[in-house]
Amino acid sequence: MAGEQRVLELGTDYARVGIGVLALVFVPVAALSEPSRWWFVLALVAGALGVVVWAFLGVPAQAVAVPVVLLVSISQAESRLEPGLFVLCLLAIALTGWSDLTLTTVLLVLLTAAAPVIVAMLQDEHGISGGVWVMGVVFPALMGWAFHRQEKMAAELDAARQALAEQAVLEERRRIARDVHDLVGHGLAAMMLQITGARHVLDRDVEEVREALTSAEDIGRRTLGDLRRTVGSLRDEGGLQAPIEGLEQVSGLVDDARSSGLRVELVTSGPQDEVDQAVGLTLFRIAQAALANAVIHAPAARTVVTSAVTSDDATLEVLSAGPLRPRDPHEVRGHYGLRGMQERAEVVGGEFSAGPVPQGWLVRCRVAR
């Protein structure tokens, strides 16, 4: 995109230089084809130099327009040097091709177009054809305006492309952050709960310690497997895609949470396997995050996962009915889990809510089919 912008800028520079060169070329052409007295030739040279100043020194065309029009008009006093009027055509392109169409620019273009008419009225019947030169000024002015519009639209399109690319990168970063939080953060949190429980009963119940460590090991293996599949899907360039979870796999999440010591049950209704793949994955991830939060923040509560699929929508609810674990005042909480669930729901156009209810804490997501 930067290369395209550079080519556009170079094209603009070349056109500007070309106009400046042409302004100088028309002076000897006019002087040789229709000779006139030297001071009129000098006036034409001065008018052409005004265009050259714009082309090579970067002076705004509006600043040189009036002197150029006056000097070129003076050069036509003897009804000669008519090719010199091409300088006015070049001036018209300069006025509209390199700046926005303001009131000042319009007035200067009209002045430039009126100059040949005024010159023709002051000359005899053998003078210039004012009407032809008016068209010779107006048409280049329209060409310059079209050129500037196209250049401006190309610049806006390039800026829009860059903004879309930046937005895509930002959204990809958010998606990776959500996946890492769901897979690694929740898995490690569940492992830590098992390890902490094992440490508390280390000297009293060896069998319970063994079960807790075995559960932590299983969670760690599953988390590592999920992480590998996710990274593999990110790096995949056309090979086998990692399997995508859906509502059918929510039962596995419930079993994992139950093995972690959570009192949880699953209630389903409707065809769980007929949900759109993106919707199914979204609801699966929300259920995964909600159950992980229940394991951490409501281990003593009774959690019910409800997945209902109808012809109109798919709804997931995770209700933790019972006491919540008191918050540690030293714990740093960024609410990344809730934010990630909200973002996932927004991607598929779902309605998401999470918060306290009379029974405890409810996470709910509804997506229209």
Side-chain angles (χ1 to χ4, degrees):
M1 290 182 289
E4 294 177 357
Q5 181 65 25
R6 180 58 181 164
V7 169
L8 185 62
E9 292 175 354
L10 288 176
T12 303
D13 292 340
Y14 289 148
R16 191 174 186 132
V17 170
I19 290 176
V21 172
L22 283 176
L24 291 177
V25 169
F26 284 128
V27 172
V29 170
L32 294 175
S33 62
E34 296 186 3
S36 183
R37 281 181 279 190
W38 67 269
W39 49 85
F40 294 122
V41 175
L42 184 61
L44 181 60
V45 170
L49 287 177
V51 177
V52 172
V53 167
W54 164 81
F56 292 93
L57 300 183
V59 177
Q62 291 82 354
V64 302
V66 174
V68 169
V69 171
L70 291 177
L71 290 169
V72 173
S73 299
I74 291 172
S75 71
Q76 304 298 310
E78 289 190 328
S79 301
R80 309 183 69 83
L81 299 175
E82 185 174 355
L85 289 175
F86 277 108
V87 174
L88 297 182
C89 304
L90 299 177
L91 176 63
I93 297 178
L95 284 170
T96 59
W98 277 263
S99 61
D100 293 334
L101 200 61
T102 63
L103 177 60
T104 300
T105 301
V106 172
L107 292 177
L108 290 174
V109 170
L110 293 177
L111 174 64
T112 306
V117 177
I118 297 174
V119 169
M121 293 174 59
L122 297 177
Q123 293 177 343
D124 54 29
E125 66 275 8
H126 301 294
I128 66 172
S129 176
V132 173
W133 283 108
V134 168
M135 294 302 300
V137 170
V138 172
F139 184 69
L142 293 175
M143 288 181 57
W145 174 77
F147 168 79
H148 180 67
R149 285 274 299 174
Q150 183 179 11
E151 183 185 46
K152 191 173 181 179
M153 290 176 62
E156 292 175 352
L157 179 60
D158 185 64
R161 287 175 178 171
Q162 292 183 8
L164 287 175
E166 293 173 358
Q167 183 64 31
V169 171
L170 180 59
E171 182 56 36
E172 183 65 12
R173 288 180 59 185
R174 288 176 178 170
R175 186 180 72 82
I176 294 174
R178 289 195 297 265
D179 288 341
V180 170
H181 180 273
D182 291 346
L183 297 176
V184 180
H186 293 151
L188 288 178
M191 290 171 59
M192 289 302 299
L193 281 176
Q194 295 294 336
I195 294 173
T196 301
R199 180 172 58 83
H200 287 163
V201 298
L202 182 60
D203 299 327
R204 301 194 305 271
D205 192 336
V206 176
E207 186 60 31
E208 187 174 348
V209 171
R210 182 180 293 109
E211 291 178 0
L213 292 179
T214 300
S215 178
E217 182 181 7
D218 291 340
I219 294 172
R221 291 183 185 277
R222 286 195 299 269
T223 300
L224 183 59
D226 290 342
L227 182 60
R228 284 174 175 170
R229 287 197 301 272
T230 301
V231 173
S233 66
L234 291 174
R235 295 172 63 94
D236 183 60
E237 296 179 359
L240 294 176
Q241 294 287 339
I244 297 179
E245 296 86 350
L247 280 178
E248 313 96 292
Q249 284 75 43
V250 172
S251 59
L253 296 176
V254 172
D255 293 339
D256 293 342
R258 189 179 293 119
S259 67
S260 299
L262 186 70
R263 291 189 301 154
V264 57
E265 61 179 285
L266 174 64
V267 178
T268 63
S269 63
Q272 304 291 297
D273 57 348
E274 295 182 6
V275 178
D276 180 78
Q277 190 178 70
V279 174
L281 177 60
T282 297
L283 295 179
F284 174 87
R285 291 300 187 196
I286 291 176
Q288 184 182 41
L291 285 172
N293 287 340
V295 170
I296 298 171
H297 302 294
R302 176 176 174 269
T303 300
V304 179
V305 179
T306 304
S307 176
V309 178
T310 67
S311 59
D312 298 325
D313 56 35
T315 304
L316 175 76
E317 292 185 353
V318 181
L319 173 63
S320 294
L324 301 179
R325 181 176 65 86
R327 179 184 174 185
D328 185 351
H330 301 291
E331 180 183 5
V332 178
R333 299 180 62 184
H335 301 285
Y336 297 119
L338 293 179
R339 186 185 306 171
M341 288 187 275
Q342 176 73 47
E343 291 174 351
R344 287 186 185 278
E346 290 175 352
V347 169
V348 295
E351 301 172 359
F352 176 82
S353 62
V357 293
Q359 301 94 326
W361 184 275
L362 175 64
V363 174
R364 185 177 189 273
C365 181
R366 174 187 172 275
V367 183
R369 297 184 63 189

